């Protein structure tokens, strides 16, 4: 895959990863981003406890300059997400959680789909794993525009950590996370829909969501 970072201003993708109470899984989550086949990205780790972050981040920093550790503002998850969006420089903003895993072709397949369809937000099918990484379920997400509207009537059409958002659409519509934690993603997807966003899901299993006792 050709690295096009030299051809555009800033990276193609800015990955926003808030970190809280996920240290046992953080290295694996970061490695899954660093192992993407599409290499043109920055990884923004937003963490209130910066010293703890550095202790986990230091061995990984040797892989290159793609990782940026950001001092959080102690405004919980919603604040960290919005801070990451404000800092992001990419054409796309990707979500990633610190205890989940992205498959290597996630970014490549999602950006190709968004480019070919003009989608403003894109997710994928996903696996559910437990704290030991064992597969316990698989989830199919909607693929047609009609089915997205049906899903939004009662649930989310994406697993939160799997999405890519088009930065231009986010900026143009002044979209930020709001509501309350545990439904901050659903609240945002509703506002995407109200603003006329085009939704898409890659027809591939590209993400592993870790189900934890304290999730």
């Amino acid at each position: 895959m050709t690295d096009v970072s030299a051809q555009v201003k800033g990276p193609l993708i800015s990955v926003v990863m808030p970190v809280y109470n996920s240290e046992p899984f953080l290295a694996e989550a970061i490695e899954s981003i660093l192992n993407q086949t599409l290499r043109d990205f920055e990884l923004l780790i937003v963490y209130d406890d910066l010293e703890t972050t550095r202790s986990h981040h230091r061995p990984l920093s040797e892989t290159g300059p793609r990782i940026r550790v950001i001092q959080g503002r102690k405004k919980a998850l919603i604040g960290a997400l919005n801070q990451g969006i404000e800092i992001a420089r990419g054409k796309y903003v990707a979500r990633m959680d610190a205890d989940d895993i992205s498959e290597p072709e996630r970014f490549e397949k999602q950006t190709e789909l968004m480019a070919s369809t003009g989608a403003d937000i894109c997710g994928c099918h996903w696996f559910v794993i437990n704290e030991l990484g064992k597969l316990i379920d698989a989830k199919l997400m909607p693929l047609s525009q009609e089915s997205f509207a049906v899903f939004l009537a009662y649930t989310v059409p994406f697993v939160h950590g799997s999405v890519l958002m088009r930065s231009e659409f986010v900026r143009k519509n002044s979209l930020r996370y709001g509501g309350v934690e545990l439904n901050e993603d659903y609240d945002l997807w509703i506002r995407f829909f109200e603003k006329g966003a085009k939704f898409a899901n890659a027809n591939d299993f590209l993400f592993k969501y870790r189900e934890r006792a304290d999730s």
Side-chain angles (χ1 to χ4, degrees):
M1 189 71 188
T2 302
D3 190 330
V4 297
S5 57
Q7 303 173 22
V8 296
K9 184 178 180 179
L12 182 65
I13 300 171
S14 294
V15 187
V16 176
M17 178 192 287
V19 177
Y20 175 76
N21 197 27
S22 298
E23 282 79 7
F25 313 105
L26 179 58
E28 187 175 14
I30 292 174
E31 289 293 351
S32 78
I33 297 301
L34 296 179
N35 290 334
Q36 290 294 302
T37 56
L38 194 162
R39 309 292 295 167
D40 187 8
F41 63 82
E42 62 177 354
L43 173 56
L44 308 177
I45 299 175
V46 186
Y47 202 145
D48 286 335
D49 187 351
L50 191 56
E51 291 307 315
T52 302
T53 304
R54 283 175 175 153
S55 70
H56 288 276
H57 167 66
R58 188 177 295 110
L60 294 163
S61 64
E62 299 172 3
T63 62
R66 290 188 174 90
I67 299 175
R68 297 170 60 197
V69 178
I70 310 300
Q71 175 69 64
R73 299 168 180 160
K74 300 188 183 299
K75 293 186 177 181
L77 176 61
I78 290 174
L81 291 171
N82 288 334
Q83 184 177 354
I85 289 175
E86 292 164 9
I87 295 169
R89 300 177 297 136
K91 179 178 179 180
Y92 302 104
V93 174
R95 277 286 292 108
M96 180 64 187
D97 287 322
D99 52 1
D100 295 332
I101 299 170
S102 289
E103 298 290 359
E105 294 185 335
R106 176 191 162 193
F107 292 165
E108 183 175 354
K109 290 190 174 183
Q110 286 181 309
T111 55
E112 287 176 353
L113 180 61
M114 294 181 77
S116 65
T117 63
D120 299 300
I121 183 168
C122 180
C124 59
H125 305 318
W126 47 287
F127 294 116
V128 183
I129 59 175
N130 64 15
E131 295 188 17
L132 299 177
K134 181 180 178 180
L135 177 65
I136 57 177
D137 203 354
K139 303 289 186 179
L140 291 171
M141 292 288 96
L143 299 177
S144 69
Q145 292 303 303
E146 295 78 11
S147 59
F148 280 113
V150 172
F151 262 65
L152 280 170
Y154 67 94
T155 189
V156 291
F158 315 103
V159 63
H160 191 185
S162 76
V163 300
L164 261 68
M165 299 175 276
R166 191 178 295 275
S167 297
E168 182 181 8
F169 188 88
V170 172
R171 288 193 300 268
K172 181 176 67 175
N173 293 286
S174 301
L175 292 167
R176 293 292 186 272
Y177 287 92
V180 297
E181 289 186 25
L182 301 181
N183 76 347
E184 76 284 340
D185 55 334
Y186 185 58
D187 173 79
L188 185 59
W189 311 154
I190 291 290
R191 286 185 283 122
F192 261 81
F193 188 79
E194 291 173 343
K195 296 293 185 180
K198 185 171 184 179
F199 287 19
N201 272 314
N203 194 15
D204 295 280
F205 286 88
L206 302 174
F207 191 77
K208 293 178 180 177
Y209 169 82
R210 192 181 304 273
E211 192 170 273
R212 297 166 52 189
D214 59 349
S215 293

